[in-house]
Every structure is written in C-alpha cells, then in structure tokens.
Amino acid sequence: MATIEELARRMKTDAAAMAASSVEIRNKALIEIREGLQANAADIFEENKKDLAAADEAGIAEAVVKRLKFDENKLRDVCEGLDMLRELPDPLGRVTLNRELDEGLRLERITCPIGVIGVIFEARPDALVQIASLCIKSGNCALLKGGKETTNTNRILFRLIHESAVRAGLPEGCLAQAETHDEIDELLACDRYVDLIIPRGSNAFVRHIMDNTKIPVMGHADGICHIFVDEDCDREQAIRIIVDAKIQYTAACNAVETLLIHKNIAKDFLPKLAEALAEEHVKIRGTKEVISMIGESGSGEKETITEEDFDTEYLALTVGVRLVEDVEEAIRHINTHGSHHTDSILTNNDKNAERFMQMVDSAGVYHNCSTRFSDGFRYGFGAEVGISTGKIHARGPVGLDGLTTYKYKLYGHGQIVGDYANGVKSFHHKDL
Amino acid sequence: MATIEELARRMKTDAAAMAASSVEIRNKALIEIREGLQANAADIFEENKKDLAAADEAGIAEAVVKRLKFDENKLRDVCEGLDMLRELPDPLGRVTLNRELDEGLRLERITCPIGVIGVIFEARPDALVQIASLCIKSGNCALLKGGKETTNTNRILFRLIHESAVRAGLPEGCLAQAETHDEIDELLACDRYVDLIIPRGSNAFVRHIMDNTKIPVMGHADGICHIFVDEDCDREQAIRIIVDAKIQYTAACNAVETLLIHKNIAKDFLPKLAEALAEEHVKIRGTKEVISMIGESGSGEKETITEEDFDTEYLALTVGVRLVEDVEEAIRHINTHGSHHTDSILTNNDKNAERFMQMVDSAGVYHNCSTRFSDGFRYGFGAEVGISTGKIHARGPVGLDGLTTYKYKLYGHGQIVGDYANGVKSFHHKDL
C-alpha cells in the first residue's frame, strides 16, 4: 500500500490536471457520485451497521452514535446536497481583474483551485460526502481522514465516490483516503505536496494540528461566542434567542458561551432569563452581582464565575453571565475573551448595533438573531468544509470560494521591463 | 521603553479603532505624511548621511549602498507613491455578498482590515514609507522592522510618519517600530496580538521566520523563475526577453534562473542565445547537450549543470539551461523545481500558451514577456508589501487587497435556528 507521502506526491502531480478539468466533468462527477451512492445504498447501510455495532459494544454515548449513523435519511440529505452543489456556478476561471498595463500587455487575475487539501474530520459519514464533493466542485485534490468510529462506512463511501469521480473523467489522484491515526502525522509532514490542512474536531485536536505542521491550517480551535443584551431591546425576543443559541445544538462551535447584559436592565431581565434557562436545564455561571440579582428565580443551578471561565468553551448546558456598562465594554470583553467566531448584539438601537458590528473583530457579527446561524448551509454555500476563525484567506463558514485562490496571467508581445525602467515606455493601467 | 509584546498588545486594542476609521481620515494621514516628509527633508537627508557613512566605513558593497540612500529623488518617488495610493479607492467596507437568507434575515459580507501586521524588511528607507502607507490606507496597524543599515534614516522617517498619522486622527497604536534584531524573535512570539507577518529578505531569513512562529506568514523564500522557449516563437524577441529577465535587476526575486529550450530549435537558437548572454557577462550552466550545442559561440563562461542547480536561486549573473521535449515536459519541470513565483512561455502557438498558463502552478504565468513584470507597482497596485508564493490568502504581488479580509454581518429580527431545524421556517437564499 502507498504511504501518505507517496499518495500526496501523486496528488500534487494530478492537481494540475484537476485544475484544468472542465466544470462539465466536475459536475458529471457529482452526478456519478450520487448515482453510485444510491445504487449501492444497501451495501453502505450494511457497512454502517458494523460501525454502529462496534460503537454500541464500546459503549459510545447515544448522542455520538446518532452522528455515526448513515441511513436512508442521511443518504437523501447528501444526495440533495450533491444536486445543490452541482447547480452552484463554477468557482474556477472567474476573471477578477482585467487590466491593460500598457498597449499589448494585458493582466488577468483568474480564480483557480488551491491544489492538494488535507481534511481531517470527525466520525460523520455525511461529512465525508460533503467534503469530497466540495473539493471536487472547486477542482481541488483532497486527502481525507475521517473519524475512526466510522471506518467501515468511510471505506465504502470513499471507494464509491472515488470510482465515480474517476469514471467521470477526473484524475486518479483527485481523492485519497487515510485510515489510521498514525497517518495524520505523516500527512502533517507533507508540506512539499499539501497546500492546506483543514482540521475539524476538538479544541485540543485542532491546536495539536496547528502546532505540528508547516502546512497552512484553516479552521478554528475555540468557539467562544457571545450575546450582548443591550439596554433598549425586545426582552422576550432576547430570551428566545439566548435559549436557541445555547440549547439548539449545545455541542456546536457557534453555540453561545457568554452572555453580556447591560447593567441598566439586569435587575428586571436576569430573573426572567434565569427562569427560562432553568426550564432548559442550563446552569448559570455568573458574577457575584448576577447571582445576587437572580436570587431564587427559576431555582436553576447557579455558581460564581471565575476570570478564566470567560476564556472557556463549555460545549455544555452551562452559560457564563456578566454585566457591562455599555456597548463599548461589551466590545472590549468580546475582543479580549472571544475567539473571533460569532457574536451577536440584541438591541433596538441601530447606532449601537452598527458600532458593535464594526468594532467586534469576529468572522460573524450579528444583530437580533441567534449565533447558531453561522454555518455554510444556512449562508447558502451548499455546504461547508469548516468554519475559520483565522483572518488569513477565508473567514467564517468556508464553502467553494474559500477553496479557491487565484493566479495572474500576463499576455504580452515581447515586452521587457528595461524599456519601462529607462522611460522608453510607460504603464497606463487601464481596467478593461 | 515598551517591549514588543506591550506594543503589539496596545496595537491589538487600537486595531478596532483603526478598522473603524473613515477613508477620509486615512487619506488625510497620507497627505500629512507627505507634507511631514517634505517639510523635514533636510533632517532626513542628514540622518541618511550618517547611515551612508557607517556603510562606507563597514565596506558595504556599492550596489547595496545605492539602496540605503534616501535623497531628493527617493523622496520625490515616495511622495508620488503616497499621492497615487491616496487616489486608489477605499479597500474597506466593500460589500462582496448581500443575500437575504429568509425574510428579514439579511447576510452581508464586507471587506475589513486584517488587524495587526508585522513587516520585516530590508535596509531600504523607501520601503518603510511604502509599507507604512499601504497599511494605513488598508486600515491595518503595522509593526515595522527595517534593516539595521538604515537605522538612523528609519528612525526619523518612522517618527515623522507616526506623528503625521496621529495628527490626522488615527489611533496612537496605528504604527510601531522595532529597532533591534532581538525584537524580531519577540515579535514572532506575539501570536496573541499579531495577525500576520510579512518577511522580506533572503531565502534563509524568510525560512527562519516561517519556521519560528505560529503567526501566519505571507511572502516568499525562493524565487526560481523559468522561461520556456517553445518551438514556434520569435527567436530574436526571445533573446531580448531572456536578457531582460536575467540582467535588468539580477538580485530581484522575479529574475529568471532557468531556461527551458524546445529541443527542435536548440541547435540553431542556443549559439545565438549564448552570444547574447556572453555580451552581458552571464554564465551559462547547462546540461551536457546544451554545452556541446553552444560550442564556442560567444565564448562566454559555461559549465555543466547538476540536478540540484535546478532548485537553486542564483540571484547572480548565472542562468541554468536545459532542453525539453515539449510544453508538457516544460510544465512538469517547472511544477517540480519551481517556487510558484513567475514563469513565462515564449511562443506563437496560442494553444501551447494557454496550456502552459493553465497547468503551471505559479502566482504569475506569462506569455511572451519578461518575468520581471511581477511587481505591485507594475500591476497598478500603487505599491506592494511583498510577493507571495503561497496559495493561501494572497498570491503574487500583494497590495491593498491582500491586506484586507472580510467579516459576515447578519441582520435579523429575532430569528432563531430552532424554527428552521423544525421546519417552521425555511431559507430562501435570495441574492440582493
């Protein structure tokens, strides 16, 4: 069997052919993949059952097992996703600059794929299909490593997807799969061949990846999202939004972790909030003021917060609460303690909303809605390969656009720089 | 005096105010900077003379001393650059996506600055002015470290620029300067505060930076540029372009290092090329075939090339030469040995040109012109902070666009994700 380095080297070679592939072939691959998955549904479910049985035996929590499952519903969802992706416009070959530098010397900036991308993701078979298809549509070669709890499902899905892609006319090296944990370290060492690593998973895992490779890494370690409840706001709406942002999917990176409450409304608002949170079994970790203002309301679980808690992603039914003087203090708190993911202001004051959205240094800045909206599907990107909290390249949910880069093409007729340096010729820089 | 970490922390705080600054204030700063430099020209030249005297004493080569010089001509050039930059449109606040996700739920993607950028650059006082002004126009805070050979000139230029920027209304932390070499390592450790490092300088220096920081690095280590001379081409033009690409500025990263010659024209073309190169004192390092085909032509210096030479950036009057079968072999050679900087094909065959420009995986792919054109000023970007050979974020010459990122703003009216998950509401994703 080929080592990861050998696979990556081959992919680097095939990346040029993949970049040159027509959108017709890439779309044809998406159709072939859908048909391949549908035609082999029974076999896929069979393999998935093996993974589920192993998970059961290992005593894996039910919530996690739910994610491992790949049934008729999940198959339907990924097939719909494949169709949606096919309908999106080609992200490649878009001319984003067309400029005549001088007569007969034309500069074009044109979008193209990044090249070879390594994606390491959690045990979710539907993620494998989504990631592979996003990489195909964007003309990238993808080296995939999924969670070990779905090894059997991943293996058959990968085989079917790869066969379909090659049948459609894409190069052999368009996709490859890594199956063992050791291979992750091999992948991280392939900086000569791999252009980008996208890790998904726990905070500690993503940090490990970031600290152990020279390859650029796109993704997020923490997701410490905030909601600031301003003085003048719709308080019932605020409670509904906070509850959604905390409990709709508690383990998601865009779930809220810290609430900042304007001091002038705290006395009235906090007891109502505490009741609503208690009903949903959310524990409040508040400052002393907050705890005392809540008193016995809701009689939910309450405890005092420490300074470090503000830098913690709970990913659990716990929420931090503190009071702030005004929008300025809320902005300072978020820019100091946040992870630049998604933060929301709830206010009827448009000036405060604009100030917040301008000054908060996060990928997503929201007004009067739940932080949970930050997601590639919800943004209309078809799907996402991950969410980036970095500021270089792509930010927020990363779909097709984030998987492309560009190159400059210069069309000349024998021009040399010497003529411009000596003043024989000069640039006129006309955008066409 | 403040440590680099203290400076960077303050800049991080001021970055939000910098991002919120109006283009009027940023443009006013550019005017104030020009006026400040012009009003203090005599003092600047005085300080520059100290640097030149020290360089003379240290026996620094004349070619290098030329770069250290800051006189009337250089001042005029940087002032013109400041005016040109002021006239460019605001790179911030551009809406690149405006989409209604559902009624009353509008998503906007808007350009914004990266934040705090550390730039380490060579001893060239004009570079300090260009880099500082690009960062100001793009709303970034910049921590600058210039070459030590221009310490005195840098100090006065920095002081004047910083005073002017603050006078125009920008925050105190918009600019800072590091002066000693030790401070580079301090800067590299500031991953909590610095969003991007742009190193300029030798290959070894850039690699050192890349290997010693967790901060994203944008730039290039090598500049191994190629010219492929195809079978059907204008041979006189080819020689003119090759000579320009090699000698117009030999030490530049976009100078050509390797020539790939189509085998069918080699016998006739190589002796003429050798003559032209010999006239310019360029040494040919060729394969055995190449050397034997050249014979005694031009009687310039010639030697046999090794495989490693193809991975070497000479930055000298030396050029590697080999024969290739066709455009495909040229593409393979470049993608294997190149540094993804700038590569040019000289041909009358448009099909081969398109194939080359499609398949060569470089920031710049050129047809019938010199590789020396890859430069922010020549591309019409006003100036450049550097040239990137990475594929993440910005590629090629980096001007204002490469110094920006974006954020997503979501404007709602109380929307929660639960309603969409439960099918109460659904997204309609309408681009506005």
Side-chain angles (χ1 to χ4, degrees):
Chain A
M1 233 184 80
T3 65
I4 293 297
E5 196 196 337
E6 285 161 358
L7 282 176
R9 190 169 51 222
R10 264 186 241 163
M11 295 179 94
K12 188 76 180 172
T13 306
D14 279 349
M18 190 71 182
S21 67
S22 69
V23 70
E24 288 74 28
I25 288 185
R26 283 178 273 123
N27 281 341
K28 190 168 166 238
L30 299 179
I31 297 174
E32 294 266 359
I33 291 169
R34 174 168 55 69
E35 290 175 354
L37 296 178
Q38 286 168 333
N40 294 278
D43 290 350
I44 300 172
F45 301 154
E46 202 58 45
E47 292 300 314
N48 187 241
K49 280 199 189 108
K50 291 184 196 167
D51 288 329
L52 293 178
D56 193 44
E57 210 164 297
I60 288 174
E62 206 180 330
V64 178
V65 172
K66 218 172 113 188
R67 279 185 250 161
L68 309 183
K69 200 168 182 171
F70 195 84
D71 57 6
E72 281 290 355
N73 290 333
K74 293 271 180 81
L75 177 63
R76 199 194 50 232
D77 287 351
V78 299
C79 289
E80 273 176 24
L82 284 162
D83 285 337
M84 194 192 278
L85 202 55
R86 201 190 62 236
E87 282 160 25
L88 289 178
D90 189 5
L92 306 182
R94 282 192 293 118
V95 176
T96 58
L97 183 107
N98 186 10
R99 177 175 293 171
E100 198 177 73
L101 305 187
D102 186 16
E103 214 188 300
L105 188 62
R106 191 170 62 82
L107 181 71
E108 219 177 58
R109 186 173 57 205
I110 189 163
T111 59
C112 60
I114 290 175
V116 180
I117 302 182
V119 191
I120 309 165
F121 53 100
E122 66 279 25
R124 257 186 51 209
D126 44 336
L128 188 149
V129 185
Q130 281 165 11
I131 294 165
S133 54
L134 276 167
C135 288
I136 285 174
K137 177 86 183 197
S138 56
N140 288 289
C141 296
L143 209 161
L144 308 171
K145 167 70 179 80
K148 65 177 185 311
E149 298 83 358
T150 46
T151 302
N152 294 294
T153 321
N154 287 349
R155 194 173 294 153
I156 185 166
L157 286 174
F158 177 80
R159 181 173 59 76
L160 292 168
I161 292 172
H162 186 235
E163 283 173 6
S164 301
V166 173
R167 201 181 316 124
L170 293 176
E172 186 70 28
C174 63
L175 290 169
Q177 196 188 16
E179 293 204 323
T180 69
H181 194 76
D182 296 348
E183 291 174 324
I184 295 178
D185 288 335
E186 288 184 55
L187 173 60
L188 298 184
C190 291
D191 53 302
R192 286 186 59 193
Y193 308 118
V194 178
D195 298 296
L196 180 67
I197 297 275
I198 304 178
R200 313 187 348 166
S202 74
N203 187 326
F205 173 71
V206 175
R207 282 205 190 281
H208 170 80
I209 300 286
M210 289 175 169
D211 291 348
N212 287 281
T213 185
K214 290 183 187 173
I215 305 169
V217 175
M218 184 161 74
H220 65 276
D222 291 303
I224 304 177
C225 301
H226 299 76
I227 291 179
F228 165 51
V229 185
D230 199 10
E231 182 167 13
D232 175 14
C233 76
D234 180 332
R235 300 187 195 177
E236 274 180 46
Q237 190 185 84
I239 288 173
R240 233 178 125 239
I241 288 175
I242 290 168
V243 169
D244 180 81
K246 186 72 236 178
I247 72 151
Q248 203 270 329
Y249 190 173
T250 306
C253 57
N254 53 17
V256 73
E257 305 295 358
T258 306
L259 306 175
L260 307 171
I261 315 290
H262 195 290
K263 66 176 191 344
N264 293 355
I265 61 161
K267 222 171 162 180
D268 175 61
F269 181 72
L270 279 176
K272 289 175 191 156
L273 175 68
E275 262 180 60
L277 290 174
E279 265 174 47
E280 302 291 349
H281 314 288
V282 177
K283 176 160 67 177
I284 288 180
R285 201 169 282 184
T287 55
K288 277 187 192 146
E289 304 176 281
V290 167
I291 299 293
S292 94
M293 278 179 181
I294 291 175
E296 292 309 308
S297 344
S299 67
E301 227 184 306
K302 289 179 283 289
E303 54 192 34
T304 311
I305 199 161
T306 65
E307 193 64 19
E308 289 114 62
D309 288 331
F310 289 122
D311 300 323
T312 304
E313 185 180 20
Y314 304 120
L315 293 172
L317 290 172
T318 301
V319 69
V321 187
R322 65 163 287 201
L323 308 187
V324 291
E325 285 287 319
D326 54 14
V327 66
E328 299 302 327
E329 194 180 0
I331 292 165
R332 270 201 307 278
H333 178 100
I334 295 171
N335 284 346
T336 309
H337 297 283
S339 58
H340 314 291
H341 193 296
T342 305
D343 302 289
S344 188
I345 178 172
L346 310 183
T347 186
N348 293 324
N349 182 324
D350 286 345
K351 217 180 127 219
N352 283 356
E354 263 317 308
R355 177 82 182 156
F356 180 93
M357 294 169 97
Q358 170 77 260
M359 299 287 285
V360 168
D361 185 24
S362 295
V365 283
Y366 289 10
H367 181 199
N368 287 344
C369 53
S370 170
T371 53
R372 289 273 299 120
F373 281 103
S374 68
D375 166 278
F377 172 74
R378 290 176 198 127
Y379 278 10
F381 299 167
E384 67 181 32
V385 285
I387 293 183
S388 167
T389 54
K391 295 161 96 176
I392 302 308
H393 195 71
R395 213 174 177 196
V398 180
L400 292 175
D401 280 353
L403 296 176
T404 65
T405 178
Y406 53 79
K407 56 172 38 168
Y408 287 97
K409 293 184 173 181
L410 185 62
Y411 296 92
H413 290 86
Q415 281 87 349
I416 60 172
V417 164
D419 285 344
Y420 295 86
N422 300 333
V424 176
K425 290 184 172 191
S426 64
F427 296 106
H428 63 221
H429 295 140
K430 268 189 218 159
D431 283 322
L432 302 171
Chain B
M1 230 183 80
T3 65
I4 293 297
E5 197 195 338
E6 286 161 358
L7 281 176
R9 189 168 55 224
R10 262 186 241 164
M11 294 178 98
K12 187 78 181 170
T13 307
D14 279 350
M18 190 71 183
S21 67
S22 69
V23 69
E24 287 74 25
I25 287 185
R26 283 178 274 125
N27 280 340
K28 191 169 166 240
L30 299 180
I31 297 174
E32 295 265 0
I33 290 169
R34 173 168 55 70
E35 291 174 355
L37 296 179
Q38 286 168 334
N40 294 277
D43 289 350
I44 299 171
F45 301 153
E46 202 57 47
E47 292 300 315
N48 186 243
K49 282 201 190 105
K50 291 186 197 166
D51 288 329
L52 293 178
D56 193 44
E57 210 164 299
I60 289 176
E62 205 181 331
V64 177
V65 172
K66 216 172 116 190
R67 280 185 249 163
L68 309 184
K69 198 167 183 172
F70 195 83
D71 55 8
E72 281 290 355
N73 289 332
K74 291 271 179 82
L75 177 63
R76 196 194 53 230
D77 287 351
V78 300
C79 288
E80 272 176 24
L82 284 161
D83 285 337
M84 195 193 277
L85 201 56
R86 199 188 66 236
E87 282 162 24
L88 289 179
D90 189 6
L92 306 182
R94 280 190 295 121
V95 176
T96 58
L97 184 109
N98 186 9
R99 178 176 292 171
E100 198 178 73
L101 305 186
D102 186 16
E103 216 187 298
L105 188 62
R106 190 171 61 82
L107 181 71
E108 218 178 58
R109 186 174 58 204
I110 189 164
T111 59
C112 60
I114 288 174
V116 181
I117 301 181
V119 190
I120 310 164
F121 53 100
E122 67 279 24
R124 257 187 49 209
D126 45 335
L128 189 150
V129 185
Q130 281 165 11
I131 294 166
S133 55
L134 276 167
C135 289
I136 285 174
K137 176 86 184 197
S138 58
N140 287 289
C141 297
L143 210 159
L144 308 171
K145 166 72 180 78
K148 65 175 186 315
E149 297 82 358
T150 46
T151 302
N152 293 295
T153 320
N154 288 348
R155 193 174 293 150
I156 185 166
L157 286 174
F158 177 82
R159 180 173 60 74
L160 292 168
I161 292 173
H162 186 235
E163 281 172 9
S164 301
V166 172
R167 201 181 317 124
L170 293 176
E172 186 70 29
C174 63
L175 291 169
Q177 196 189 15
E179 293 203 325
T180 68
H181 194 76
D182 296 348
E183 290 175 323
I184 295 179
D185 288 336
E186 287 185 57
L187 172 61
L188 298 184
C190 290
D191 52 304
R192 286 187 58 194
Y193 309 117
V194 178
D195 297 296
L196 180 67
I197 298 275
I198 303 178
R200 313 188 346 169
S202 73
N203 187 325
F205 173 70
V206 175
R207 283 204 188 284
H208 170 82
I209 300 286
M210 289 176 170
D211 292 348
N212 286 285
T213 185
K214 291 183 187 173
I215 305 169
V217 175
M218 185 160 72
H220 66 275
D222 292 303
I224 304 177
C225 301
H226 300 76
I227 291 180
F228 165 51
V229 184
D230 199 10
E231 183 168 13
D232 176 14
C233 76
D234 180 331
R235 299 186 195 176
E236 272 181 48
Q237 190 184 83
I239 288 173
R240 233 177 125 239
I241 289 175
I242 289 168
V243 169
D244 181 81
K246 186 72 236 179
I247 72 150
Q248 203 270 329
Y249 190 173
T250 306
C253 56
N254 54 16
V256 73
E257 305 295 359
T258 306
L259 306 175
L260 307 171
I261 314 291
H262 194 292
K263 69 176 188 346
N264 293 353
I265 60 161
K267 222 169 162 182
D268 175 62
F269 181 71
L270 280 176
K272 289 176 193 154
L273 176 67
E275 261 178 62
L277 291 174
E279 264 174 47
E280 302 291 348
H281 313 290
V282 177
K283 176 161 66 178
I284 288 180
R285 200 171 282 183
T287 56
K288 277 190 191 144
E289 303 178 279
V290 167
I291 299 293
S292 92
M293 279 179 179
I294 291 175
E296 291 310 308
S297 344
S299 65
E301 229 185 307
K302 289 179 282 288
E303 54 194 33
T304 310
I305 199 162
T306 65
E307 192 63 20
E308 289 114 62
D309 287 331
F310 288 122
D311 301 324
T312 304
E313 186 181 19
Y314 304 118
L315 294 173
L317 290 173
T318 301
V319 69
V321 186
R322 64 164 287 203
L323 307 188
V324 291
E325 284 288 318
D326 53 16
V327 67
E328 299 303 327
E329 195 181 358
I331 293 165
R332 271 199 309 278
H333 179 99
I334 295 171
N335 285 346
T336 309
H337 297 283
S339 58
H340 313 291
H341 193 299
T342 305
D343 302 288
S344 187
I345 179 173
L346 310 183
T347 186
N348 292 324
N349 181 325
D350 285 347
K351 218 180 126 217
N352 283 357
E354 262 318 309
R355 177 81 182 160
F356 180 94
M357 294 170 97
Q358 171 75 261
M359 298 288 285
V360 168
D361 185 24
S362 296
V365 282
Y366 289 11
H367 180 197
N368 287 346
C369 53
S370 168
T371 53
R372 289 273 301 121
F373 281 103
S374 68
D375 165 279
F377 172 74
R378 291 176 198 130
Y379 279 10
F381 298 167
E384 66 181 31
V385 284
I387 293 184
S388 167
T389 55
K391 295 162 94 175
I392 303 307
H393 196 69
R395 212 175 179 196
V398 180
L400 292 174
D401 281 353
L403 295 176
T404 66
T405 178
Y406 52 79
K407 55 172 37 169
Y408 287 97
K409 293 184 172 181
L410 185 62
Y411 295 92
H413 290 85
Q415 282 86 348
I416 61 173
V417 164
D419 286 344
Y420 294 86
N422 300 332
V424 175
K425 289 184 173 191
S426 64
F427 296 106
H428 63 220
H429 294 142
K430 268 189 220 159
D431 283 322
L432 302 171

